[in-house]
């Protein structure tokens, strides 16, 4: 066939002579240490995953994940073997120094095998993500990539995270996202070594989780979404499946039931929850701060006990979020009373409270989480963050003017909001959790969180457009040593991810700040 006509210019996203990215450019988040050597290792049809003679069950889980992941694009069998001698094998091994901690790993690419060593299956899983990033972009595809040479450069990596909590948050209340959509988002989190996924399950515009003791929350309160379009909710079976899906990818789900504000969906579903006994209409706008549970009614506490009890029972992780933000229609005394009641229910179920930093104004238990979403210079928020640290809460940093993925990339961007800031890729990367809030000791900082609020985002495609590439930068801030923080190489790391997101089917914004591959 004749060659296709040339338009003169290279198609967008392609440069004429593309350099092969170095290992340092390929691995994102940046590892603690990386040495490169000469040469490479090539996988072929004989390659296998080796779990050693006496593997732990959790190691087998990682091996199966890796083999499953590799089978489709390579077309090879990738048998999981106990004591393999196959050339081009991937060895998963439990061990390594204590300094690797609960999430660290070591990865070494030899001439005949790759060895990933860790003290936990989570560490092995993260090592597998690094291996994945060393492979050609076609490994991300959902079909066989005929003709690809499956080579990886010879490197030695020793790696562990800076912070224990590295999270993303997705608001499925303002716009409902199906189980399949949420799974796609989880899949996109995985290579970034994120380990926490907060699901914002209830807000004024919708209630998204079946609660068996209060069925109208989901069936009525979940019917709509922002803009008045059809909403939806997860049955408890569907939700449990999502939690298990995340868990298999070493991600802990933190369910969020926002209260006492952000509760119009609940208030409209059950008249008795309202102080005046009258159910308001469903709300499909984008205002915040107008709704509140009723502190003076016994039914409120029965509601908290029933709802949070069911949510806790569906939660294998330590934390359940009660939100606690923007309760502008609740007095401080009533707020404290209801947040404390919610916390007590969680404690009875063996869970710790997670909430936004406003929860510091109540009586939060030590080691509960306060997610800080203040913007630079906001005095009230800073004071609350300091109060949180004083009371022994751990702070997870989600500064709205850096880490809110629903902020526009530029002033004319079609999607998103700009109340906190317009946040180009470089700004989303320009902060340090340890020094973000003066007067909060770095010992109180547990990690980072990147929320996506979905008032303006109707589906997962637009969510991904806002999240990628910026989520990668938040993940890197949470994982990589402070000394590696540097904008220029980071932008190159992002450029290298472009073809990988494309192959994986993850939508992303081709920010002009990045020279995309
Ligand atoms: C503030 S952040 C909110 C959300 C909105 C978001 C929009 C926070 C804890 N509350 O209710 O969706 O701004 O960016």
């Amino acid at each position: 066939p004749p060659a296709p006509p040339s338009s003169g210019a290279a198609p967008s996203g392609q440069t004429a002579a593309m350099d092969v990215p170095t290992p340092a450019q390929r691995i994102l988040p940046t590892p603690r240490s990386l040495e490169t050597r000469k040469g490479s290792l090539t996988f072929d049809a004989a390659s296998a995953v080796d779990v050693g003679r006496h593997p732990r069950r959790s190691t087998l889980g990682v091996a199966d994940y890796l083999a499953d992941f590799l089978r489709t694009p390579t077309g090879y069998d990738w048998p999981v073997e106990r004591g393999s001698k196959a050339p081009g094998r991937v060895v998963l091994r439990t061990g390594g120094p204590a300094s690797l901690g609960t999430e660290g790993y070591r990865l070494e690419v030899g001439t005949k095998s790759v060895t990933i060593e860790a003290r936990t299956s989570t560490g092995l899983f993260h090592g597998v993500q690094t291996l994945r990033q060393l492979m050609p972009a076609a490994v991300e595809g959902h079909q066989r990539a005929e003709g690809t040479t499956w080579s990886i450069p010879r490197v030695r990596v020793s790696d562990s995270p800076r912070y224990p909590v590295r999270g993303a948050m997705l608001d499925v209340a303002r716009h409902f996202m199906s189980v399949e959509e949420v799974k796609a988002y989880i899949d996109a989190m995985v290579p970034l070594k994120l380990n926490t996924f907060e699901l914002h399950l209830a807000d004024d515009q919708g209630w998204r989780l079946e609660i068996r003791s209060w069925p109208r929350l989901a069936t009525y309160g979940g019917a709509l979404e922002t803009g008045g379009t059809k909403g939806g909710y997860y049955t408890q079976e569907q939700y449990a499946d999502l939690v298990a899906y995340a868990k298999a990818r070493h991600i802990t789900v933190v369910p969020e039931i926002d209260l006492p504000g952000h509760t119009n969906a609940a208030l409209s579903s059950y008249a008795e929850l309202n102080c005046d006994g009258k159910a308001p209409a469903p709300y499909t706008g984008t205002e915040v701060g107008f709704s509140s549970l009723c502190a003076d009614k016994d039914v409120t506490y029965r509601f908290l006990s029933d709802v949070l009890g069911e949510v806790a029972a569906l939660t294998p992780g330590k934390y359940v979020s009660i939100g606690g933000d923007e309760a502008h229609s609740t007095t401080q005394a009533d707020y404290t009373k209801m947040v404390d009641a919610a916390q007590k229910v969680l404690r009875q179920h063996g869970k710790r409270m997670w909430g936004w930093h406003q929860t510091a104004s109540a009586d939060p238990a030590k080691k509960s989480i306060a997610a800080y979403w203040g913007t630079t210079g906001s005095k009230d928020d800073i004071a609350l963050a300091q109060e949180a640290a004083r009371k022994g809460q751990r702070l997870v940093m989600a500064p709205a003017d850096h880490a809110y993925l629903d902020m526009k990339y530029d002033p004319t961007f079609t999607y998103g909001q700009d109340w906190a800031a317009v946040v180009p890729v470089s700004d989303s990367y320009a902060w340090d959790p340890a020094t973000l809030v003066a007067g909060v000791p770095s010992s109180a900082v547990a990690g980072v969180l990147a929320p996506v609020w979905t008032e303006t985002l109707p589906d997962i495609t637009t969510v991904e457009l806002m999240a990628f590439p910026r989520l990668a930068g938040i993940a890197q801030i949470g994982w990589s040593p402070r000394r590696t923080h540097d904008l220029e190489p980071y932008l190159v790391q992002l450029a290298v991810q472009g073809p990988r997101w494309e192959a994986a089917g993850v939508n992303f914004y081709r920010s002009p700040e990045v020279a995309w591959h």
Side-chain angles (χ1 to χ4, degrees):
S6 165
S7 67
S12 78
Q14 263 174 262
T15 46
M18 198 157 70
D19 296 332
V20 178
T22 65
Q25 293 168 341
R26 291 194 209 192
I27 305 173
L28 192 179
T30 302
R32 196 165 288 281
S33 101
L34 166 68
E35 294 164 39
T36 54
R37 296 132 157 245
K38 280 216 164 54
S40 60
L41 168 67
T42 303
F43 298 117
D44 60 29
S47 293
V49 178
D50 177 25
V51 289
R53 289 271 164 223
H54 304 287
R56 295 182 189 169
R57 188 201 292 263
S58 59
T59 303
L60 288 171
V62 179
D64 287 338
Y65 167 91
L66 174 61
D68 273 351
F69 176 77
L70 294 172
R71 260 174 214 133
T72 302
T74 61
Y76 306 152
D77 287 346
W78 291 100
V80 173
E81 296 176 352
R82 298 175 188 224
S84 170
K85 288 282 163 280
R89 63 192 178 276
V90 180
V91 181
L92 301 182
R93 181 198 285 161
T94 307
S99 61
L100 291 180
T102 55
E103 291 194 275
Y105 66 91
R106 290 201 297 208
L107 177 149
E108 181 161 1
V109 182
T111 52
K112 296 217 166 56
S113 64
V114 183
T115 302
I116 302 174
E117 183 177 46
R119 298 169 70 85
T120 66
S121 59
T122 299
L124 289 175
F125 188 78
H126 292 324
V128 160
Q129 300 311 319
T130 295
L131 169 63
R132 164 184 185 172
Q133 291 180 335
L134 292 170
M135 293 182 76
V139 80
E140 301 294 335
H142 303 296
Q143 60 285 312
R144 184 166 176 185
E146 219 90 44
T148 304
T149 304
W150 300 102
S151 291
I152 56 170
R154 292 200 53 202
V155 296
R156 191 190 261 169
V157 177
S158 180
D159 202 8
S160 60
R162 181 180 180 192
Y163 289 112
V165 179
R166 304 172 309 281
M169 190 221 79
L170 180 61
D171 171 9
V172 294
R174 270 55 174 274
H175 277 101
F176 180 65
M177 310 279 159
S178 70
V179 169
E180 288 317 306
E181 287 180 298
V182 177
K183 285 182 177 176
Y185 199 65
I186 291 171
D187 283 335
M189 288 170 62
V190 163
L192 303 174
K193 302 187 174 85
L194 294 165
N195 66 359
T196 304
F197 184 39
E198 182 173 10
L199 257 185
H200 186 78
L201 288 165
D203 211 305
D204 291 317
Q205 296 87 343
W207 186 286
R208 306 303 178 202
L209 176 63
E210 174 194 13
I211 301 295
R212 291 185 179 152
S213 52
W214 295 74
R216 261 173 73 83
L217 290 171
T219 57
Y220 183 82
L224 299 174
E225 58 182 16
T226 306
T229 37
K230 185 178 168 295
Y233 65 88
Y234 312 120
T235 64
Q236 292 203 359
E237 286 80 8
Q238 287 174 323
Y239 179 76
D241 172 55
L242 255 186
V243 171
Y245 188 87
K247 191 171 183 208
R249 287 152 186 78
H250 297 261
I251 291 172
T252 305
V253 173
V254 176
E256 179 184 352
I257 302 294
D258 207 345
L259 60 94
H262 290 279
T263 43
N264 191 78
L267 297 168
S268 71
S269 303
Y270 287 96
E272 66 260 44
L273 289 175
N274 295 270
C275 281
D276 66 3
K278 292 195 191 103
Y283 183 72
T284 59
T286 60
E287 297 298 312
V288 296
F290 58 87
S291 56
S292 182
L293 294 175
C294 186
D296 296 334
K297 283 187 141 183
D298 289 344
V299 66
T300 297
Y301 301 93
R302 187 153 49 79
F303 172 83
L304 292 179
S305 167
D306 291 346
V307 170
L308 295 175
E310 288 193 39
V311 172
L314 290 163
T315 305
K318 283 202 281 271
Y319 296 103
V320 171
S321 175
I322 56 103
D325 59 311
E326 297 175 320
H328 303 319
S329 307
T330 318
T331 64
Q332 181 63 49
D334 285 355
Y335 176 86
T336 299
K337 188 173 171 191
M338 289 187 277
V339 167
D340 290 351
Q343 179 172 240
K344 202 162 150 206
V345 174
L346 294 181
R347 196 180 304 139
Q348 283 161 356
H349 291 273
K351 302 299 172 191
R352 287 185 185 157
M353 179 173 75
W354 176 304
W356 300 103
H357 66 257
Q358 283 80 8
T359 54
S361 71
D363 191 16
K366 289 194 169 53
K367 294 189 183 173
S368 59
I369 294 281
Y372 177 77
W373 57 283
T375 54
T376 307
S378 56
K379 288 204 181 62
D380 295 352
D381 293 319
I382 291 167
L384 280 166
Q386 293 164 343
E387 186 171 352
R390 248 193 337 270
K391 289 180 171 172
Q393 286 190 288
R394 303 258 164 86
L395 282 109
V396 167
M397 297 303 188
D401 48 352
H402 296 294
Y404 268 29
L405 301 174
D406 59 317
M407 292 299 126
K408 290 174 182 288
Y409 287 95
D410 67 60
T412 61
F413 207 74
T414 308
Y415 296 100
Q417 310 209 50
D418 59 7
W419 67 262
V422 167
V423 185
V425 171
S426 48
D427 283 2
S428 68
Y429 191 59
W431 61 288
D432 178 17
T435 56
L436 181 76
V437 187
V440 170
S442 61
S443 59
V445 178
V448 298
L449 178 71
V452 189
W453 302 99
T454 57
E455 288 96 330
T456 68
L457 309 173
D459 52 34
I460 206 70
T461 308
T462 48
V463 165
E464 288 175 354
L465 180 72
M466 302 308 284
F468 296 92
R470 293 182 293 189
L471 180 57
I474 309 301
Q476 178 145 295
I477 287 172
W479 179 281
S480 305
R482 174 77 185 97
R483 63 176 158 76
T484 65
H485 189 106
D486 193 1
L487 179 62
E488 289 309 318
Y490 166 61
L491 294 175
V492 178
Q493 286 172 293
L494 291 183
V496 172
Q497 292 306 309
R500 308 186 73 90
W501 285 324
E502 215 166 282
V506 174
N507 195 26
F508 65 101
Y509 174 53
R510 289 181 176 279
S511 161
E513 292 182 277
V514 178
W516 294 100
H517 281 201

